[in-house]
Amino acid sequence: MNDDSLRRQLDELCRAINDHNYRYHVLDQPVVSDAEYDRLLSELRAIEEQHPEWVPPDSPTQRAGAQPSARFSKVRHPAPILSLGNAFSEADLRAWFERISRVDERVRKASFVAEPKLDGLSVVLHYADGLFVQGATRGNGEVGEDVTPNLRTLRSLPLRIPVDRSAPKPPADLFVRGEVFFTKADFEALNKRQAEEGGQIYQTARNTAAGTLRQLDPAITAARPLNLFAYNIVSAHGQAPTTQWATLELLRTLGFPVASESHVCKSMDEVLALYEQWKASRDELPYEVDGMVVKVDDLRLAEDLGFVGKDPRGAIAYKFPALEVTTSLQDIGVNVGRTGVLTPYAMLEAVEIGGVIVKQATLHNFDFIKDKDIRVGDRVLVKRAGDVIPYVIGPLLAARSGKEKKYVPPKTCPVCGQAVEHLAGEVAWYCVNAACPEQLVRNVEHFVAVLDVVGMGEKIVIQLIQAGLIKDAADIYSIKREDLLKLEGFADKKADNLIASIQATLTNRSLSWAITALGIRGVGDVVAQKLARKYHDLDALSKASATDIDDIEGIGPSIAQAIVDWFAKPTNRNVLKKLKKAGFWPVSQPPKKPSGAQPFAGLTFVVTGTLPAFSRKEARDFIEDLGGKVTDSVSAKTSYVVVGEDAGSKLERAKQLGVATLDEPALRKLAHKRK
DNA sequence: GATCCTCGAGTTCG
DNA sequence: CTCGAGGATC
């Protein structure tokens, strides 16, 4: 790249970042995610490092933030409230360590304090003779906004220190730095309340915390449970501790809430190990954490290290991979499901979220698009939380250029072209063409997936259909070895394996799985099990009347009718006939006699996360064998939630509802105890 | 009629 | 995991 274009890029980056700063700090309406902002900033830094002579006076690297808005009176901080440099990888962190070690050899033997980096809003609290007299936002680092009345509403903020009167007295003038934030549970509860009252739904906890703290009416702030953690002493008239760890201890002694995760590390290796640990368990924390702040514990050493621009060298923020990013929604596509449901999905400009590149995300249904007012061309916020599947939270209205296009749902099936239908009172739109090729593919896929035919994924199914080898699910049993060998990509071994895998379904498959495999709308494994208990084979089920099926507990008129309708269709009758002929005809097994004790009788369990010794299915079998019930969602009726590694929202919910949790050993112990 | 619970369906990437 | 909808319960 030549100098001219590099310089243009520098100017463009400055302009963009200044704009983002304004939107973030003044408007509370960011149009890019933190991760993207950080990326722009590090690009800018890289150029400025190469060409320090180019750095413009208004470069965002030359100040710590943006101007405060005019609504609140201004407060000058006693010392500049610094920002931190970022590290995004182990290499970045080690490079930082090497850099500061070269500045001062003592660093090599130094200890570090690791603190969780909360996704909140920085504040400075002023205590005069132990009394909370003023609190301000960070603002641009030198001047912030006076939000004292709002801060007073925070329950965790001590209005007088020390809270414990017997503790030592604090310095006459103490300025404490802290972070204001919502816990995940409080934020969810707030949104739930907003939804009930028909109010606005907030997208991100951080922006809402910022908005809440900057309410002109403190009553509004008071009604929203903001939290505080203190982590720094900005100024204490020479009476501040000399290490960061002692600072945290002093703050705790005085009665400030301090993040309990904070930890002293004796080496970089310890820091890195702790980082990995935090990263793995970050979903379990009650608040959003977007990284780890690593500080040189010895504060005088940290001071000696000096600054790079406005960032102190003695501390750095080591970020977690972002879980929430913004990207642009390039188009909306539509999938056709097994039941004919049309499901829209977002085609996104590729972005990295939590370590993987995401290009697509479901949009659930057409109402979702309409309710969130998602338009093609929008910048959207995409989240990938403790789960794996990314989803679109909503558009960033502030980023609208006017060129975005409203989305019009298709009137016809995107695959077969037949008109789509919509049942009154239902959200979903259906392609009702029984011969729709997409539905056939999905149907066969479902059939083989339920019966556990290995080596038959989407690609192979499509290939077999296109080759004319199968016209419905039952046709898999008539596939010949020599037919497969003619297909591209099939040699002896692959063909043999597939045939063997199909043949394996003829033995040892229960009636309930067979019923599930048929793919009747509303019939999954639970309903199928109930049906298999009452009807001894598929013939018996096919002859049952709707009222007869309706009698089963847990099955109502609408599913009963769907079952009757399915068996009434000639094409499906034909499938049944073929299955019988092929020898796929499971019958009800006599109900298993409860073997031994039933210590879990009457108890309902939910299993979440990865258990150490059990697979999910083994855990389920274990519980059911002992007479317990296993369901998928946590409710007030759940007796125990069995928690494994990487447990997500179910654990959250269990805590909220006060449902008891068990780990695997505790589960075994419970089984033993109740015998 | 409202509310809670449970089930099913579709879902991303490597 | 999220959402919608069916079913049970009050």
Side-chain angles (χ1 to χ4, degrees):
Chain A
M1 198 181 280
N2 64 32
D3 274 6
D4 263 3
S5 66
L6 197 61
R7 187 146 198 180
R8 265 201 303 279
Q9 197 189 343
L10 181 144
D11 286 341
E12 175 54 28
L13 282 167
C14 281
R15 193 203 55 73
I17 295 167
N18 280 331
D19 181 49
H20 292 323
N21 270 335
Y22 172 73
R23 288 178 187 277
Y24 188 97
H25 292 284
V26 181
L27 302 180
D28 290 332
Q29 279 183 341
V31 295
V32 293
S33 60
D34 291 357
E36 201 166 334
Y37 177 87
D38 291 340
R39 190 181 56 75
L40 293 174
L41 202 60
S42 50
E43 266 179 46
L44 176 65
R45 285 223 171 86
I47 301 177
E48 289 185 347
E49 242 165 66
Q50 273 179 52
H51 297 279
E53 73 281 7
W54 288 356
V55 178
D58 71 334
S59 167
T61 60
Q62 300 305 300
R63 58 172 178 175
Q67 292 307 317
S69 85
R71 294 188 298 171
F72 292 89
S73 63
K74 294 183 172 88
V75 179
R76 180 160 293 274
H77 301 309
I81 302 304
L82 306 165
S83 57
L84 288 181
N86 288 314
F88 297 99
S89 64
E90 183 179 335
D92 286 357
L93 192 72
R94 288 200 185 275
W96 168 73
F97 178 75
E98 284 306 320
R99 239 176 9 245
I100 61 174
S101 296
R102 278 197 301 272
V103 174
D104 194 319
E105 268 301 313
R106 286 178 294 169
V107 170
R108 296 212 181 268
K109 291 202 183 112
S111 295
F112 296 87
V113 173
E115 297 170 28
K117 184 173 187 311
L118 269 77
D119 201 9
L121 178 84
S122 213
V123 292
V124 178
L125 313 168
H126 181 191
Y127 289 80
D129 292 324
L131 214 59
F132 174 61
V133 290
Q134 192 174 52
T137 63
R138 177 170 171 278
N140 64 8
E142 281 168 20
V143 176
E145 292 169 330
D146 184 348
V147 288
T148 311
N150 288 337
L151 281 167
R152 277 184 194 284
T153 69
L154 268 66
R155 296 279 172 92
S156 50
L157 183 145
L159 295 176
R160 176 194 288 278
I161 51 172
V163 173
D164 175 359
R165 297 282 167 95
S166 62
K169 271 206 156 44
D173 255 317
L174 180 70
F175 289 84
V176 171
R177 183 166 172 193
E179 194 83 359
V180 168
F181 61 96
F182 279 114
T183 65
K184 292 177 198 167
D186 284 342
F187 183 62
E188 265 171 44
L190 170 64
N191 260 342
K192 200 171 163 226
R193 210 175 68 207
Q194 289 289 112
E196 278 162 12
E197 289 165 8
Q200 183 195 356
I201 303 297
Y202 300 105
Q203 291 189 340
T204 65
R206 197 228 154 259
N207 295 337
T208 312
T212 300
L213 200 56
R214 298 169 75 240
Q215 287 292 328
L216 290 169
D217 177 4
I220 298 178
T221 313
R224 299 179 187 172
L226 280 170
N227 267 287
L228 170 81
F229 273 150
Y231 58 85
N232 207 357
I233 292 177
V234 179
S235 156
H237 289 277
Q239 293 182 54
T242 55
T243 68
Q244 175 60 17
W245 188 247
T247 303
L248 294 179
E249 292 202 312
L250 173 63
L251 289 172
R252 196 175 286 143
T253 312
L254 290 174
F256 289 96
V258 173
S260 59
E261 289 77 19
S262 301
H263 198 82
V264 180
C265 295
K266 295 218 154 40
S267 67
M268 261 306 113
D269 287 335
E270 257 184 58
V271 169
L272 287 161
L274 190 63
Y275 174 86
E276 289 306 321
Q277 207 181 312
W278 284 7
K279 192 171 80 174
S281 60
R282 72 160 141 166
D283 291 330
E284 284 155 43
L285 288 177
Y287 37 80
E288 295 278 354
V289 172
D290 61 2
M292 170 189 267
V293 180
V294 184
K295 297 174 178 167
V296 172
D297 189 28
D298 182 337
L299 292 175
R300 277 176 294 199
L301 172 56
E303 204 174 318
D304 288 349
L305 288 169
F307 294 84
V308 191
K310 292 269 169 151
D311 298 342
R313 282 207 183 88
I316 193 163
Y318 185 8
K319 296 274 191 106
F320 293 140
L323 295 181
E324 235 177 54
V325 303
T326 58
T327 186
S328 72
L329 191 159
Q330 295 170 327
D331 205 356
I332 292 176
V334 176
N335 280 326
V336 182
R338 165 166 68 80
T339 56
V341 182
L342 304 192
T343 312
Y345 62 93
M347 299 171 171
L348 304 167
E349 185 190 332
V351 275
E352 189 182 321
I353 315 180
V356 301
I357 308 288
V358 172
K359 282 175 255 179
Q360 273 189 23
T362 181
L363 293 170
H364 306 296
N365 57 60
F366 299 113
D367 279 9
F368 182 87
I369 299 176
K370 206 171 140 207
D371 291 347
K372 301 243 162 169
D373 189 23
I374 296 169
R375 305 183 189 180
V376 175
D378 263 336
R379 278 205 83 73
V380 287
L381 192 64
V382 182
K383 189 171 180 173
R384 188 170 170 270
D387 55 332
V388 197
I389 296 161
Y391 59 102
V392 174
I393 296 177
L396 291 155
L397 299 176
R400 284 259 165 90
S401 70
K403 285 190 205 137
E404 296 79 11
K405 287 203 193 79
K406 277 202 179 166
Y407 177 72
V408 185
K411 299 261 187 307
T412 58
C413 170
V415 178
C416 70
Q418 186 163 311
V420 295
E421 287 181 21
H422 170 85
L423 294 165
E426 256 190 54
V427 168
W429 286 78
Y430 289 89
C431 166
V432 292
N433 178 7
C436 177
E438 187 69 7
Q439 285 181 57
L440 173 59
V441 172
R442 291 288 144 96
N443 236 309
V444 177
E445 262 180 68
H446 174 73
F447 190 88
V448 298
V450 170
L451 296 179
D452 201 20
V453 179
V454 284
M456 205 162 162
E458 184 182 354
K459 284 247 171 67
I460 305 288
V461 170
I462 291 174
Q463 197 181 9
L464 295 175
I465 291 173
Q466 280 176 351
L469 292 182
I470 50 180
K471 293 191 175 59
D472 61 43
D475 285 340
I476 63 166
Y477 294 108
S478 54
I479 298 172
K480 301 270 184 314
R481 187 172 181 275
E482 52 270 31
D483 293 331
L484 287 178
L485 290 175
K486 284 181 211 148
L487 299 178
E488 204 188 317
F490 274 94
D492 287 351
K493 189 146 189 215
K494 194 165 159 190
D496 285 340
N497 284 347
L498 183 54
I499 300 269
S501 169
I502 292 169
Q503 290 301 311
T505 64
L506 296 178
T507 55
N508 215 11
R509 293 292 189 278
S510 67
L511 176 59
S512 70
W513 287 117
I515 296 172
T516 309
L518 298 177
I520 303 167
R521 172 137 70 106
V523 180
D525 51 8
V526 175
V527 172
Q529 250 178 53
K530 289 177 178 172
L531 292 169
R533 227 169 282 151
K534 178 158 181 176
Y535 303 98
H536 71 275
D537 69 0
L538 292 177
D539 269 341
L541 178 59
S542 74
K543 287 183 189 122
S545 71
T547 47
D548 209 15
I549 299 171
D550 188 16
D551 281 347
I552 302 173
E553 187 179 324
I555 302 179
S558 116
I559 291 177
Q561 194 55 50
I563 295 167
V564 171
D565 289 349
W566 193 91
F567 283 104
K569 274 195 185 163
T571 46
N572 292 335
R573 289 189 164 284
N574 194 29
V575 168
L576 282 191
K577 219 192 282 170
K578 284 200 246 180
L579 288 176
K580 199 174 200 173
K581 216 172 133 204
F584 181 80
W585 204 254
V587 291
S588 281
Q589 281 117 356
K592 246 196 278 171
K593 284 259 165 60
S595 56
Q598 297 274 291
F600 287 170
L603 299 180
T604 308
F605 295 79
V606 173
V607 185
T608 182
T610 317
L611 299 176
F614 276 147
S615 77
R616 207 48 94 70
K617 193 171 153 26
E618 282 164 352
R620 197 185 185 99
D621 289 346
F622 177 79
I623 293 167
E624 284 175 351
D625 264 1
L626 297 175
K629 211 174 138 203
V630 179
T631 65
D632 248 4
S633 54
V634 182
S635 72
K637 287 191 179 162
T638 309
S639 323
Y640 293 101
V641 176
V642 182
V643 182
E645 190 95 352
D646 285 332
S649 66
K650 283 179 195 167
L651 176 57
E652 280 281 303
R653 200 166 147 68
K655 280 183 193 155
Q656 254 177 45
L657 293 170
V659 174
T661 57
L662 300 169
D663 59 5
E664 192 186 303
L667 175 71
R668 293 175 193 274
K669 226 185 274 170
L670 182 73
H672 204 71
K673 213 166 64 189
R674 293 179 63 102
K675 252 179 203 163

